[in-house]
Amino acid sequence: MKTIFEKVYVETPVDTDEDGKYDLIVVYIKRPLLDEKVPAVFVANPYMLHCNEDWYELYDVNKNIKVYPTQNITESDILFVPRKQPVYPKTKSQGEVKTNPIPEPDPSEYECISNLYDHLIERGYAGVFSAGLGTRGSDGLTRTGSQEEILAFKSVIDWLNGRARAFVDRTRQMEIKAHWCTGSVAMSARSYLGTMCIGVATTGVEGLKTIIPEAGISNWYEYYRHNGLTLPAMDWQGDDLDILSKYCFSRVLDSKDFETIRPLFEKSQKELQEGEDRESGNYNRFWDERNYLKHADQIKASVFVIQGLNDWNVKPDQGILLFEKLQEFGKDRMMLLHQGQHIYTYHLEGSPTLSLIDRWLDYYLKGMDTGIQDEAKIFVESNVDQTVWMKEEHWPPRQMEVYQIKDSGVQTIIDDLSKTVYDRKKKNTKEWLDELVLTQNAHSLSFDLETFKRSVRFAGRAKVQFRARINQPTAILSAMLVEKGEQKRLTCQLDGDENRSFRFKMEQEPSAYSVITRGWMNAQNRNNNYSKEEINPQNWYTYSFEFVSNDYTIAPGHTLALILYGMDVDQTQLPWISTAIEVDTSSIVVECPVK
């Protein structure tokens, strides 16, 4: 199919670089040369025009958790109030051109995502790509997840529908319109890119017919924090939002351009650091601005959530909680849960992903009767047999079984990393995990909940509650649900090529256990995630928190076990202090979705 490649500058409604003009963002378009208009698939990709690898310096997580007096922060104190955007007179253009073709650059220059879009262009869709504010060739600043970032990307959809302006260059003299577009637009792609799909959809923008967020973040707080703890992606401890924002600020790659905005960029970075508040880990107005789940009721587009159940970068709850909200509001929706990590599954053998996407887009963007509306709402890949895809209509598909620990008495967790096998320099997390799960040790408590005679599906979000007394003014509380039993298990490691064809590998030797899910809490956030409470070492307090959602089949003869512990070397800060956590074992209640 013959295609044309174009580059335009879309005018946004924001002015993040404070120069008295609306910020322009560069948009790249690859579209089929057809006589009729075509729908568009828009990818908002802040990584697109290269990133600042040398600037990606993580914070040190080897530090004690900061202690706070009781804060008495109320819910009204943390509500984000949308900022008013500037209103400027629009400059008058000198004319209009029909097209602005340029030679197609190497895909790594403008895409760096997947080969899905060549497939979609062949099927009669235009591919539209933008890196957004603060990226090379565009105006403004990167302020990751912010109201302004969302409004800037929204303006691309407005342009595709004739409601916003675009120009052939930054002089704003020659205007160009998307005369080739039907006005029906989808947004798609993975991770930060999928996140922008969700954020833009919550604006309710007209013309956005559907989004396909793959491992998209629906709540930035739950990506970088958890119940009052700094808790980013697994293996990325020390990461934070200001680092990501700096990483994506590709305007710095043009040294002349960067010098014009350096002071404002440095000011913006300080504001991000203050807003994210690493010290307390609390939810606040900064994070409330970036919680798109709160606005799920405003989504007009249909939503096809794709999420990895073994993705501990963008954890399963990011997609699943969004689906639950859409379900609650009766929105058009579908969800596919696979056994992979942070990957695309278009080429996973036996996966319905690509076929569902094709039918989904043809229905919502072209109005074709593809039968997609008659399909199940949920597809789940089995962890026992990767060729099996379970179908459901409602999430969660399982009800809760309540387990009350029968032990009575007080047992103590000594949370002291120096007393474990973990080495802070070697970062030998597998040895630490084996010790935690397979041995009797001083730094955890383990309880067998049930040994199943038959295969049992754990599908949903579990919860734990217990009473504890802590000898320090704060502590990290963690819990884990584990399947114990010898078995060769399916892994999330790829056998093949993600961009061609692959399957998931099986373990070569049987393993003794598998971690189903985890949960965490700052003990000072026992009542909510936005306000700290003082801890009296003499007092007993009740702690309750949820685990990350999962869908996991437990084999016959295997045991579901609960493990309570302190710091989590895979996820949390790593304090130097030694903390004693006394647990009233008779108070432990675990709700598990296995019924």
Side-chain angles (χ1 to χ4, degrees):
M1 180 181 291
K2 289 186 177 181
T3 60
I4 183 173
F5 198 92
E6 296 179 280
K7 179 180 178 181
V8 304
Y9 293 78
V10 169
E11 186 176 60
T12 74
V14 303
D15 178 22
T16 57
D17 52 18
E18 301 176 6
D19 63 356
K21 295 183 292 186
Y22 291 122
D23 294 340
L24 297 178
I25 57 173
V26 178
V27 177
Y28 297 84
I29 302 141
K30 186 177 181 179
R31 58 182 175 87
L33 275 174
L34 298 173
D35 293 334
E36 68 269 16
K37 293 184 177 184
V38 298
V41 180
F42 171 37
V43 180
N45 179 8
Y47 302 123
M48 190 171 81
L49 297 169
H50 300 298
C51 297
N52 304 309
E53 302 294 340
D54 293 342
W55 281 6
Y56 210 94
E57 297 179 3
L58 302 178
Y59 288 100
D60 183 11
V61 297
N62 292 286
K63 57 187 299 186
N64 294 331
I65 302 294
K66 186 173 180 178
V67 178
Y68 287 84
T70 295
Q71 294 177 316
N72 296 316
I73 298 171
T74 66
E75 198 165 354
S76 62
D77 295 329
I78 62 169
L79 295 177
F80 171 67
V81 179
R83 290 179 289 275
K84 290 184 178 180
Q85 300 305 318
V87 178
Y88 300 138
K90 290 194 174 183
T91 58
K92 188 175 181 179
S93 60
Q94 295 181 1
E96 181 183 326
V97 298
K98 291 289 185 182
T99 61
N100 188 39
I102 64 170
E104 181 175 353
D106 184 275
S108 66
E109 290 296 313
Y110 70 91
E111 191 173 338
C112 73
I113 32 180
S114 78
N115 57 11
L116 173 67
Y117 302 95
D118 286 335
H119 166 79
L120 294 179
I121 290 166
E122 285 293 321
R123 300 188 75 252
Y125 296 95
V128 179
F129 311 93
S130 177
L133 297 171
T135 60
R136 193 169 192 176
S138 295
D139 298 332
L141 296 166
T142 49
R143 292 183 65 85
T144 299
S146 69
Q147 172 188 344
E148 286 74 22
E149 183 174 47
I150 297 303
L151 290 175
F153 282 130
K154 171 184 173 289
S155 66
V156 176
I157 298 169
D158 286 331
W159 173 67
L160 292 168
N161 279 271
R163 296 187 299 268
R165 300 192 302 175
F167 306 93
V168 299
D169 56 35
R170 294 174 77 166
T171 67
R172 307 179 196 234
Q173 293 181 357
M174 298 301 293
E175 194 172 342
I176 183 169
K177 295 182 179 179
H179 61 86
W180 48 265
C181 185
T182 63
S184 292
V185 184
M187 292 185 71
S188 73
R190 181 183 73 199
S191 199
Y192 194 164
L193 294 61
T195 305
M196 293 298 97
C197 300
I198 300 167
V200 173
T202 61
T203 68
V205 59
E206 295 293 336
L208 182 60
K209 303 296 186 182
T210 192
I211 63 171
I212 308 176
E214 305 188 42
I217 298 167
S218 56
N219 180 353
W220 284 95
Y221 179 82
E222 292 292 337
Y223 181 73
Y224 283 115
R225 305 285 185 269
H226 203 89
N227 290 332
L229 295 171
T230 56
L231 200 136
M234 187 178 287
D235 298 327
W236 289 96
Q237 288 162 289
D239 189 18
D240 219 326
L241 188 137
D242 68 298
I243 298 175
L244 178 59
S245 179
K246 183 168 62 173
Y247 178 71
C248 293
F249 184 69
S250 53
R251 285 186 71 174
V252 73
L253 300 175
D254 183 338
S255 57
K256 290 183 180 179
D257 182 33
F258 179 50
E259 287 307 314
T260 66
I261 199 172
R262 181 197 289 267
L264 199 60
F265 167 73
E266 292 173 349
K267 175 187 172 187
S268 174
Q269 282 297 115
K270 289 180 180 178
E271 289 173 351
L272 291 178
Q273 291 164 358
E274 291 171 2
E276 69 191 11
D277 186 12
R278 282 186 62 80
E279 288 296 313
S280 80
N282 280 351
Y283 189 89
N284 58 21
R285 284 179 176 162
F286 178 90
W287 296 112
D288 197 54
E289 176 181 358
R290 293 162 171 80
N291 183 356
Y292 310 135
L293 283 178
K294 291 186 59 180
H295 310 294
D297 61 324
Q298 299 175 31
I299 295 176
K300 296 178 180 177
S302 63
V303 182
F304 182 5
V305 172
I306 300 177
Q307 178 69 52
L309 290 168
N310 287 295
D311 189 345
W312 288 89
N313 180 341
V314 176
K315 300 177 183 69
D317 272 344
Q318 294 288 348
I320 290 173
L321 288 175
L322 174 62
F323 183 87
E324 289 180 358
K325 282 289 185 183
L326 298 169
Q327 181 177 260
E328 177 186 343
F329 295 124
K331 306 285 185 178
D332 283 356
R333 66 199 178 276
M334 183 177 280
M335 180 167 66
L336 183 144
L337 302 174
H338 58 82
Q339 290 297 325
Q341 294 177 310
H342 203 60
I343 62 169
Y344 287 113
T345 56
Y346 312 136
H347 304 293
L348 172 60
E349 293 178 21
S351 165
T353 310
L354 189 56
S355 172
L356 290 173
I357 287 174
D358 284 344
R359 292 165 61 201
W360 187 266
L361 291 176
D362 284 350
Y363 177 79
Y364 283 103
L365 295 191
K366 295 182 178 179
M368 297 170 58
D369 183 3
T370 63
I372 196 70
Q373 292 300 293
D374 299 324
E375 286 285 3
K377 289 283 193 293
I378 306 166
F379 291 76
V380 184
E381 185 182 20
S382 168
N383 64 288
V384 175
D385 182 349
Q386 64 182 304
T387 67
V388 172
W389 289 83
M390 299 171 284
K391 298 181 179 182
E392 302 289 348
E393 293 297 324
H394 191 274
W395 186 272
R398 290 290 181 272
Q399 296 179 331
M400 291 295 182
E401 183 73 45
V402 178
Y403 296 98
Q404 178 86 43
I405 301 302
K406 296 178 181 179
D407 296 7
S408 60
V410 174
Q411 296 188 41
T412 302
I413 298 167
I414 302 298
D415 191 27
D416 185 341
L417 204 55
S418 68
K419 300 297 192 295
T420 74
V421 298
Y422 187 73
D423 186 307
R424 293 175 189 261
K425 292 182 179 180
K426 293 180 180 178
K427 297 183 178 180
N428 51 330
T429 57
K430 181 62 168 62
E431 291 179 52
W432 169 85
L433 188 59
D434 286 347
E435 180 185 49
L436 186 75
V437 176
L438 299 177
T439 70
Q440 293 291 326
N441 55 74
H443 55 276
S444 71
L445 303 178
S446 182
F447 305 92
D448 291 347
L449 302 179
E450 184 172 1
T451 299
F452 298 102
K453 295 180 180 179
R454 57 180 177 81
S455 176
V456 170
R457 185 176 167 198
F458 178 111
R461 189 163 48 257
K463 183 177 181 180
V464 65
Q465 179 176 299
F466 56 91
R467 293 181 70 246
R469 183 167 61 183
I470 302 169
N471 75 336
Q472 297 287 357
T474 190
I476 297 171
L477 303 175
S478 301
M480 189 181 288
L481 289 170
V482 178
E483 177 200 33
K484 292 182 178 178
E486 290 280 335
Q487 180 184 347
K488 284 188 179 181
R489 292 177 167 87
L490 185 70
T491 75
C492 49
Q493 302 304 310
L494 305 191
D495 181 5
D497 185 340
E498 181 182 347
N499 294 311
R500 295 180 181 274
S501 179
F502 71 93
R503 291 169 59 82
F504 295 117
K505 293 180 180 179
M506 293 293 295
E507 292 177 333
Q508 294 184 345
E509 299 295 332
S511 55
Y513 69 91
S514 178
V515 177
I516 298 173
T517 184
R518 308 186 196 202
W520 314 265
M521 171 180 277
N522 183 324
Q524 280 204 275
N525 288 84
R526 62 181 180 270
N527 291 328
N528 54 60
N529 63 6
Y530 55 82
S531 185
K532 297 282 193 286
E533 306 286 340
E534 288 184 10
I535 293 174
N536 184 329
Q538 304 302 316
N539 291 353
W540 289 85
Y541 301 102
T542 297
Y543 299 95
S544 176
F545 53 90
E546 292 180 321
F547 295 84
V548 176
S549 299
N550 203 353
D551 194 310
Y552 184 94
T553 298
I554 301 170
H558 287 196
T559 299
L560 174 64
L562 167 72
I563 299 174
L564 298 179
Y565 56 111
M567 70 186 85
D568 187 325
V569 303
D570 282 323
Q571 297 273 196
T572 67
Q573 284 181 214
L574 304 179
W576 298 95
I577 198 168
S578 179
T579 303
I581 305 166
E582 296 179 274
V583 178
D584 175 3
T585 57
S586 65
S587 71
I588 301 173
V589 177
V590 190
E591 299 176 30
C592 292
V594 295
K595 203 172 201 177

